[in-house]
Coordinates of all heavy atoms in Angstrom, one line a residue:
Y135 N -49.0 -91.7 68.4 CA -48.1 -92.6 69.1 C -48.3 -92.5 70.7 O -48.3 -93.5 71.3 CB -46.6 -92.1 68.9 CG -46.2 -92.3 67.4 CD1 -45.3 -91.5 66.8 CD2 -46.7 -93.4 66.7 CE1 -44.9 -91.7 65.5 CE2 -46.4 -93.6 65.4 CZ -45.5 -92.7 64.7 OH -45.1 -92.9 63.4
E136 N -48.6 -91.3 71.1 CA -48.9 -91.2 72.6 C -50.2 -91.9 73.0 O -50.3 -92.6 74.0 CB -49.1 -89.7 72.9 CG -47.8 -88.9 73.0 CD -47.9 -87.5 73.2 OE1 -49.0 -86.9 73.1 OE2 -46.9 -86.8 73.6
Q137 N -51.2 -91.8 72.1 CA -52.4 -92.6 72.3 C -52.2 -94.1 72.3 O -52.7 -94.9 73.0 CB -53.5 -92.2 71.3 CG -54.1 -90.8 71.5 CD -55.1 -90.4 70.5 OE1 -55.2 -91.1 69.5 NE2 -55.8 -89.3 70.7
G138 N -51.3 -94.5 71.3 CA -51.0 -95.9 71.2 C -50.3 -96.4 72.4 O -50.6 -97.5 73.0
I139 N -49.3 -95.6 72.9 CA -48.6 -96.0 74.2 C -49.5 -96.0 75.3 O -49.5 -97.0 76.2 CB -47.4 -95.0 74.4 CG1 -46.3 -95.1 73.4 CG2 -46.9 -95.2 75.8 CD1 -45.3 -94.0 73.4
E140 N -50.4 -95.1 75.4 CA -51.4 -95.0 76.5 C -52.3 -96.2 76.5 O -52.6 -96.9 77.5 CB -52.2 -93.7 76.5 CG -53.1 -93.5 77.6 CD -53.9 -92.2 77.5 OE1 -53.6 -91.4 76.6 OE2 -54.8 -92.0 78.3
G141 N -52.7 -96.6 75.2 CA -53.7 -97.7 75.1 C -53.0 -99.0 75.5 O -53.6 -99.9 76.2
V142 N -51.7 -99.2 75.0 CA -51.0 -100.4 75.4 C -50.7 -100.5 76.8 O -50.9 -101.6 77.4 CB -49.7 -100.4 74.6 CG1 -48.8 -101.6 75.1 CG2 -49.9 -100.6 73.1
Q143 N -50.3 -99.4 77.4 CA -50.1 -99.4 78.9 C -51.3 -99.7 79.7 O -51.3 -100.5 80.7 CB -49.5 -98.1 79.3 CG -48.1 -97.8 78.9 CD -47.6 -96.4 79.2 OE1 -48.4 -95.5 79.4 NE2 -46.3 -96.2 79.1
M144 N -52.4 -99.2 79.2 CA -53.7 -99.5 79.9 C -54.1 -101.0 79.8 O -54.5 -101.7 80.7 CB -54.8 -98.7 79.3 CG -56.1 -98.8 80.1 SD -57.4 -97.6 79.4 CE -56.6 -96.1 79.8
A145 N -53.8 -101.6 78.6 CA -54.2 -103.0 78.3 C -53.2 -103.8 79.2 O -53.7 -104.8 79.8 CB -53.9 -103.3 76.9
I146 N -52.0 -103.5 79.3 CA -51.0 -104.3 80.1 C -51.5 -104.2 81.6 O -51.5 -105.2 82.3 CB -49.6 -103.7 80.0 CG1 -49.1 -104.1 78.6 CG2 -48.7 -104.3 81.0 CD1 -47.7 -103.4 78.3
K147 N -51.9 -103.0 82.0 CA -52.3 -102.9 83.4 C -53.6 -103.7 83.7 O -53.7 -104.4 84.8 CB -52.6 -101.4 83.7 CG -53.0 -101.1 85.2 CD -53.2 -99.6 85.4 CE -53.5 -99.3 86.8 NZ -54.7 -100.0 87.3
V148 N -54.5 -103.7 82.8 CA -55.8 -104.5 82.9 C -55.5 -106.0 83.1 O -56.0 -106.7 83.9 CB -56.7 -104.2 81.8 CG1 -57.9 -105.2 81.8 CG2 -57.3 -102.8 81.9
L149 N -54.6 -106.4 82.2 CA -54.2 -107.9 82.2 C -53.5 -108.2 83.5 O -53.8 -109.3 84.1 CB -53.3 -108.2 81.0 CG -54.0 -108.3 79.6 CD1 -53.0 -108.4 78.5 CD2 -55.0 -109.4 79.6
K150 N -52.6 -107.4 83.9 CA -51.8 -107.7 85.2 C -52.8 -107.6 86.4 O -52.7 -108.4 87.3 CB -50.7 -106.7 85.3 CG -49.5 -106.9 84.4 CD -48.4 -106.0 84.6 CE -47.2 -106.3 83.7 NZ -46.1 -105.3 83.9
D151 N -53.7 -106.7 86.4 CA -54.6 -106.6 87.5 C -55.5 -107.8 87.5 O -55.9 -108.3 88.6 CB -55.4 -105.3 87.4 CG -54.6 -104.1 87.7 OD1 -53.5 -104.2 88.2 OD2 -55.1 -102.9 87.3
Y152 N -55.9 -108.2 86.4 CA -56.9 -109.4 86.3 C -56.2 -110.7 86.7 O -56.8 -111.4 87.5 CB -57.4 -109.5 84.9 CG -58.4 -110.6 84.7 CD1 -59.7 -110.5 85.2 CD2 -58.0 -111.9 84.2 CE1 -60.6 -111.5 85.0 CE2 -58.9 -112.9 84.0 CZ -60.2 -112.7 84.5 OH -61.1 -113.7 84.4
Y153 N -55.1 -110.9 86.3 CA -54.4 -112.2 86.6 C -53.6 -112.2 87.8 O -53.3 -113.2 88.4 CB -53.6 -112.7 85.4 CG -54.4 -113.2 84.2 CD1 -54.6 -112.4 83.1 CD2 -55.0 -114.4 84.3 CE1 -55.4 -112.8 82.1 CE2 -55.8 -114.8 83.2 CZ -56.0 -114.0 82.1 OH -56.8 -114.4 81.1
Q155 N -49.9 -110.5 89.7 CA -48.5 -110.6 89.4 C -48.0 -112.0 89.8 O -47.3 -112.7 89.0 CB -47.7 -109.6 90.1 CG -47.9 -108.2 89.5 CD -47.3 -108.1 88.1 OE1 -46.3 -108.7 87.8 NE2 -47.9 -107.2 87.3
L158 N -49.1 -114.7 87.4 CA -48.4 -114.7 86.1 C -47.0 -115.1 86.2 O -46.4 -115.8 85.3 CB -48.4 -113.2 85.5 CG -49.9 -112.7 85.1 CD1 -49.8 -111.3 84.8 CD2 -50.4 -113.6 83.9
G170 N -52.9 -118.4 82.1 CA -51.8 -117.5 82.5 C -50.7 -117.4 81.5 O -50.2 -116.3 81.2
G171 N -50.4 -118.5 80.9 CA -49.4 -118.5 79.8 C -49.8 -117.7 78.7 O -49.0 -117.0 78.1
S172 N -51.1 -117.8 78.3 CA -51.6 -117.0 77.1 C -51.6 -115.5 77.5 O -51.2 -114.7 76.7 CB -53.1 -117.4 76.9 OG -53.6 -116.6 75.9
A173 N -51.9 -115.1 78.7 CA -51.9 -113.7 79.1 C -50.5 -113.2 79.1 O -50.2 -112.1 78.8 CB -52.5 -113.6 80.5
S174 N -49.5 -114.1 79.6 CA -48.1 -113.6 79.6 C -47.6 -113.3 78.3 O -46.9 -112.4 78.0 CB -47.3 -114.7 80.3 OG -46.0 -114.3 80.4
G175 N -48.1 -114.2 77.3 CA -47.6 -113.9 75.9 C -48.2 -112.6 75.4 O -47.5 -111.9 74.6
I176 N -49.4 -112.4 75.7 CA -50.1 -111.2 75.2 C -49.5 -109.9 75.8 O -49.2 -109.0 75.0 CB -51.6 -111.2 75.5 CG1 -52.3 -112.3 74.7 CG2 -52.2 -109.8 75.2 CD1 -53.7 -112.5 75.1
I177 N -49.1 -110.0 77.1 CA -48.5 -108.9 77.7 C -47.1 -108.6 77.1 O -46.7 -107.5 76.9 CB -48.4 -109.1 79.2 CG1 -49.8 -109.0 79.9 CG2 -47.4 -108.1 79.9 CD1 -49.8 -109.4 81.3
G178 N -46.4 -109.7 76.7 CA -45.1 -109.5 76.1 C -45.3 -108.8 74.7 O -44.5 -108.0 74.4
L179 N -46.3 -109.2 74.0 CA -46.5 -108.6 72.7 C -46.9 -107.1 72.9 O -46.4 -106.2 72.1 CB -47.6 -109.3 71.9 CG -47.3 -110.7 71.4 CD1 -48.5 -111.3 70.8 CD2 -46.2 -110.6 70.4
L180 N -47.7 -106.8 73.9 CA -48.1 -105.4 74.2 C -46.9 -104.6 74.6 O -46.7 -103.4 74.3 CB -49.2 -105.4 75.3 CG -50.5 -105.9 74.9 CD1 -51.5 -106.0 76.1 CD2 -51.1 -105.1 73.8
E181 N -46.0 -105.2 75.4 CA -44.8 -104.5 75.8 C -43.9 -104.1 74.6 O -43.2 -103.1 74.5 CB -44.0 -105.3 76.9 CG -44.7 -105.3 78.2 CD -44.1 -106.2 79.2 OE1 -43.3 -107.0 78.8 OE2 -44.3 -106.0 80.4
V182 N -43.8 -105.1 73.7 CA -43.0 -104.8 72.4 C -43.6 -103.7 71.7 O -43.0 -102.8 71.1 CB -43.0 -106.1 71.6 CG1 -42.4 -105.8 70.2 CG2 -42.1 -107.2 72.2
A183 N -45.0 -103.7 71.6 CA -45.7 -102.7 70.9 C -45.5 -101.3 71.6 O -45.3 -100.3 70.9 CB -47.2 -102.9 70.8
E184 N -45.5 -101.3 72.9 CA -45.2 -100.1 73.7 C -43.8 -99.6 73.4 O -43.6 -98.3 73.2 CB -45.4 -100.3 75.2 CG -45.1 -99.1 76.0 CD -45.1 -99.4 77.5 OE1 -45.1 -100.6 77.9 OE2 -44.9 -98.5 78.3
S185 N -42.9 -100.5 73.3 CA -41.5 -100.1 73.0 C -41.4 -99.5 71.6 O -40.7 -98.5 71.4 CB -40.6 -101.3 73.1 OG -39.3 -100.9 72.7
D186 N -42.1 -100.1 70.6 CA -42.1 -99.6 69.2 C -42.7 -98.2 69.2 O -42.2 -97.3 68.5 CB -42.8 -100.6 68.3 CG -42.1 -101.9 68.1 OD1 -40.9 -101.9 68.4 OD2 -42.7 -102.8 67.7
F187 N -43.8 -98.0 69.8 CA -44.5 -96.7 69.8 C -43.6 -95.7 70.5 O -43.5 -94.5 70.0 CB -45.8 -96.8 70.6 CG -47.0 -97.3 69.8 CD1 -47.8 -98.4 70.3 CD2 -47.3 -96.8 68.6 CE1 -48.9 -98.8 69.6 CE2 -48.4 -97.2 67.9 CZ -49.1 -98.3 68.3
S188 N -42.9 -96.1 71.5 CA -42.0 -95.1 72.2 C -40.8 -94.7 71.3 O -40.4 -93.6 71.2 CB -41.4 -95.7 73.5 OG -42.5 -96.0 74.4
K189 N -40.3 -95.7 70.6 CA -39.2 -95.4 69.6 C -39.7 -94.5 68.5 O -39.0 -93.5 68.2 CB -38.7 -96.7 69.0 CG -37.8 -97.5 69.9 CD -37.3 -98.8 69.2 CE -36.5 -99.7 70.2 NZ -36.0 -100.9 69.5
L190 N -40.9 -94.8 68.0 CA -41.4 -93.9 66.9 C -41.7 -92.5 67.4 O -41.4 -91.6 66.7 CB -42.7 -94.5 66.4 CG -42.6 -95.8 65.6 CD1 -43.9 -96.5 65.3 CD2 -41.8 -95.6 64.3

Side-chain angles (χ1 to χ4, degrees):
Y135 295 147
E136 287 177 340
Q137 289 176 350
I139 291 171
E140 184 180 353
V142 169
Q143 289 175 341
M144 187 177 293
I146 291 172
K147 184 177 183 303
V148 168
L149 285 173
K150 287 182 177 181
D151 289 345
Y152 181 78
Y153 288 103
Q155 289 293 330
L158 290 172
S172 177
S174 179
I176 292 173
I177 289 173
L179 290 174
L180 291 174
E181 287 176 342
V182 171
E184 179 187 6
S185 176
D186 290 341
F187 278 129
S188 296
K189 287 180 181 179
L190 290 171

